[in-house]
């Protein structure tokens, strides 16, 4: 079964950092680009970042550019999102999602909640 | 950035009704559009890509149409499992963007 599992969320103070992980199983992660998408409580979906299969293309939403860094370790079947200089408006559930080749999202993880508050 | 505008934001319907959701892009995205279904507390699920291509396992009562800037998602005979929030997403260019969502509730 193809599965994505996020981890690393939690409560952090403004200005703090967190590193999210997304572990893939049931398919070869190395063949796929991956995305991070977030959803603030009670709100809609917001795309955050894209990383190509070999990390040669990485894109970010303007709202996180310069603060978030996407990376991956294909040998460990994992992708990561390093989040620095966190703000209250970054509070959301963060999902990783597999790119199906044309920038739409196939399997998604269950999400991990990030709360930024003092 | 390409803005995606969905309407209506909320629709109340009964089992067996036909429901149509509209998504408008701020510029031409050809057929680079996907539709997702999300239930409370769950991750979104891809229903349709390339504007009209139904994902494997998705019931045929779901259909998508459109190209350019105007798109529709139609649920032909609403079933209890279909009450959820639906999002469109443009895949034409980065940054990828979603519509604001349409919540389909039971009348």
């Amino acid at each position: 079964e193809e599965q994505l599992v996020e981890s690393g969320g939690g409560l952090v103070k403004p200005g703090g950092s967190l590193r999210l992980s997304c572990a893939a199983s049931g398919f070869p992660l190395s063949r796929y680009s991956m995305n991070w998408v977030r959803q603030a409580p009670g709100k809609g979906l917001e795309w955050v970042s894209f990383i190509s299969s070999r990390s040669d293309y990485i894109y970010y939403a303007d709202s996180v550019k310069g603060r978030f860094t996407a990376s991956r370790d294909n040998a460990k079947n994992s992708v990561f999102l390093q989040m620095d200089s966190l703000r209250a408006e970054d509070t959301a559930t963060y999902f990783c999602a597999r790119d199906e080749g044309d920038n739409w999202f196939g399997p998604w993880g269950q999400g991990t909640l990030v709360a930024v508050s003092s | 950035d390409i803005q995606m505008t969905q309407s209506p934001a909320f629709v109340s319907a009964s089992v067996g009704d036909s429901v149509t959701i509209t998504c408008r892009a701020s510029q031409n995205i050809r057929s680079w559009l996907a539709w997702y279904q999300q239930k409370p507390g769950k991750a979104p699920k891809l229903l349709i890509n390339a504007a009209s291509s139904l994902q494997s396992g998705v019931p045929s009562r779901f259909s998508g149409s459109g190209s350019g800037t105007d798109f529709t998602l139609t649920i032909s005979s609403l079933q209890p499992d279909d009450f959820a929030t639906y999002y469109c997403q443009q895949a034409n260019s980065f940054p990828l963007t979603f519509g604001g969502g349409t919540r389909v509730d039971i009348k």
Side-chain angles (χ1 to χ4, degrees), chain B residues 49-83:
Chain B
N49 62 23
S52 61
S53 179
L54 204 64
Q55 284 293 104
S56 174
V58 174
S60 59
R61 62 182 178 272
F62 290 91
S63 63
S65 65
S67 66
T69 60
D70 294 312
F71 302 86
T72 59
L73 171 69
T74 300
I75 311 172
S76 60
S77 177
L78 210 57
Q79 297 300 302
D81 191 49
D82 302 337
F83 292 96

Side-chain angles (χ1 to χ4, degrees), chain A residues 35 37 39 43-47 50 59-62 95 99-100 102-106 108-110, chain B residues 1 31-34 36 38 42-46 49-50 87 89-91 94-96 98-100:
Chain A
N35 293 271
V37 177
Q39 186 169 38
K43 302 297 185 182
L45 301 169
E46 180 188 15
W47 170 80
F50 165 96
Y59 304 113
Y60 300 98
D62 285 347
F95 298 96
D99 197 294
E100 297 300 87
D102 291 308
N103 298 327
W104 28 69
F105 314 128
W108 295 59
Q110 85 288 350
Chain B
D1 298 2
S31 294
W32 295 104
L33 185 99
Y36 300 87
Q38 187 180 32
K42 301 294 187 183
K45 172 188 173 184
L46 179 63
N49 62 23
Y87 294 93
Q89 176 239 327
Q90 67 83 14
F94 290 97
L96 307 176
F98 289 89

